[in-house]
Amino acid sequence: MQTSTKTPSTLMVVLAFATVYIVWGSTYFFIQRALEGFPPFFLGAFRFIIAGLLMLGWSLMQGEKIFSWNVMKPAILTGLLLLFVGNGVVIWVEQFLPSAMVAIMVSSSPLWFVLLDKPKWSENLSNKSTILGLVVGFAGVILLFYEKIVDTMSSLNSGRDLFAMTLVVIGSMAWAGGSLYSKYNSVSTSATVNSTWQMLAAGIAFIPGAFFSGEFASVELSTIPANAWLATGYLIIFGSIAAFSAYVWLLKVQPATKVSTYAYVNPVVAVLLGVFFAHESITPLQISGLIVILGSVLLINLHKYRKPKQVAATV
């Protein structure tokens, strides 16, 4: 996928959003399956290095300009912020915090997109439907996971978990900051090239964590179940190569606030997949949360559907 000076087709934008919304929403389910066989930091290193190498090979076959420090530098920094800090924090804190609480805190990232996107402050902060949509969307995520949070609050360790929650906030800020840095500073117009170096940088950065935690010494590839291998293959092909490349491309051609709505829609997809494939139940409160979240996405995009006002002709 490459950006160009031409306006991207509506079909391409819709397909890219659908890929990010649905595929990233499904990765919650597949990460759980992959972690049944792979330890977390080893999984991060393995997933992103393999995906990065596959994309490197594809980029070379397409004759892309890939081995240029001017191209590599912003992509590497972006990859460290997005995939290593953003994803790495989530992996680490889920040892202590319930996944529902982590999902809520990660869903604060659209708010960070608005606060950190300085070039768009005047546009975003003056757009009432966008601001209302962001706030409503975050409230919808809280509704979606409210019952699980209430059930697990009594088991939290105040000091340790407060530190973990602080890290999640930092991780969300790093994801938003890295996304905006990619939007405004990427040199290459190829989403494939940018994604290649972002994933390779993150995969290599996970290696020390896997080494110092003893994961390299403890993992035995021959004992990993087939389901974990299949889930990891899904994460590499669809979660990393397809969805992440679509996300990087969308950042170039769409407003960051719109792209950030994935953080609200992903939990919706995750819950629905749990209902249909893991036989999980869904409560009326969760259904309310789903409706509120979808309404927030409509609000954020409301100005797109409004017809421009006719300017009165002067005589």
Side-chain angles (χ1 to χ4, degrees):
M1 234 180 235
Q2 292 188 354
T3 55
S4 67
T5 55
K6 296 180 180 178
T7 303
S9 70
T10 301
L11 177 61
M12 284 294 291
V13 172
V14 169
L15 287 175
F17 267 112
T19 302
V20 173
Y21 281 174
I22 297 170
V23 173
W24 272 0
S26 69
T27 56
Y28 288 93
F29 177 84
F30 286 100
I31 286 172
Q32 282 187 330
R33 296 297 178 269
L35 288 173
E36 291 173 2
F38 290 91
F41 288 105
F42 184 93
L43 175 64
F46 183 79
R47 171 186 174 182
F48 291 121
I49 288 176
I50 296 298
L53 290 175
L54 289 172
M55 295 194 72
L56 176 64
W58 175 257
S59 297
L60 291 172
M61 288 172 59
Q62 298 300 305
E64 302 269 20
K65 182 183 179 182
I66 191 165
F67 294 106
S68 163
W69 181 241
N70 287 335
V71 170
M72 294 165 61
K73 182 180 177 181
I76 289 171
L77 181 56
T78 301
L80 293 174
L81 287 170
L82 290 178
L83 301 175
F84 177 62
V85 178
N87 275 3
V89 161
V90 170
I91 290 171
W92 190 79
V93 301
E94 284 201 7
Q95 299 174 90
F96 315 113
L97 297 179
S99 58
M101 179 169 286
V102 175
I104 286 176
M105 300 190 73
V106 167
S107 295
S108 68
S109 60
L111 304 176
W112 293 116
F113 270 87
V114 172
L115 294 175
L116 297 176
D117 194 359
K118 188 175 180 180
K120 292 286 186 178
W121 275 356
S122 60
E123 179 181 332
N124 290 333
L125 297 178
S126 64
N127 192 319
K128 294 179 181 179
S129 66
T130 296
I131 298 300
L132 181 60
L134 291 170
V135 174
V136 168
F138 188 63
V141 175
I142 293 176
L143 275 177
L144 188 64
F145 292 109
Y146 179 77
E147 290 162 324
K148 290 184 179 179
I149 289 297
V150 170
D151 290 340
T152 56
M153 281 296 289
S154 59
S155 64
L156 294 179
N157 178 304
S158 57
R160 180 199 66 192
D161 295 329
L162 181 61
F163 175 68
M165 287 188 282
T166 302
L167 285 181
V168 177
V169 173
I170 293 172
S172 296
M173 292 174 66
W175 182 276
S179 299
L180 293 169
Y181 181 84
S182 176
K183 181 177 182 64
Y184 296 121
N185 295 281
S186 293
V187 174
S188 176
T189 59
S190 169
T192 306
V193 171
N194 288 326
S195 299
T196 295
W197 291 116
Q198 288 165 10
M199 285 189 279
L200 287 174
I204 293 169
F206 273 109
I207 291 175
F211 179 79
F212 288 113
S213 64
E215 291 179 2
F216 278 126
S218 63
V219 70
E220 293 185 20
L221 297 181
S222 60
T223 64
I224 295 174
N227 283 346
W229 281 109
L230 290 172
T232 303
Y234 179 91
L235 292 173
I236 290 171
I237 301 299
F238 295 100
S240 294
I241 294 177
F244 189 70
S245 296
Y247 177 76
V248 171
W249 180 75
L250 280 172
L251 284 173
K252 280 290 188 183
V253 300
Q254 291 288 293
T257 49
K258 287 186 185 179
V259 181
S260 72
T261 55
Y262 81 89
Y264 295 154
V265 180
N266 285 170
V268 174
V269 175
V271 168
L272 293 177
L273 285 174
V275 170
F276 291 115
F277 295 102
H279 307 293
E280 297 176 359
S281 59
I282 186 168
T283 67
L285 190 62
Q286 286 179 307
I287 293 173
S288 300
L290 299 180
I291 295 170
V292 170
I293 290 169
L294 295 177
S296 76
V297 175
L298 178 63
L299 276 172
I300 291 169
N301 290 278
L302 190 61
H303 68 281
K304 177 181 176 182
Y305 308 116
R306 287 175 175 158
K307 293 181 180 179
K309 294 179 180 179
Q310 296 291 332
V311 179
T314 57
V315 179

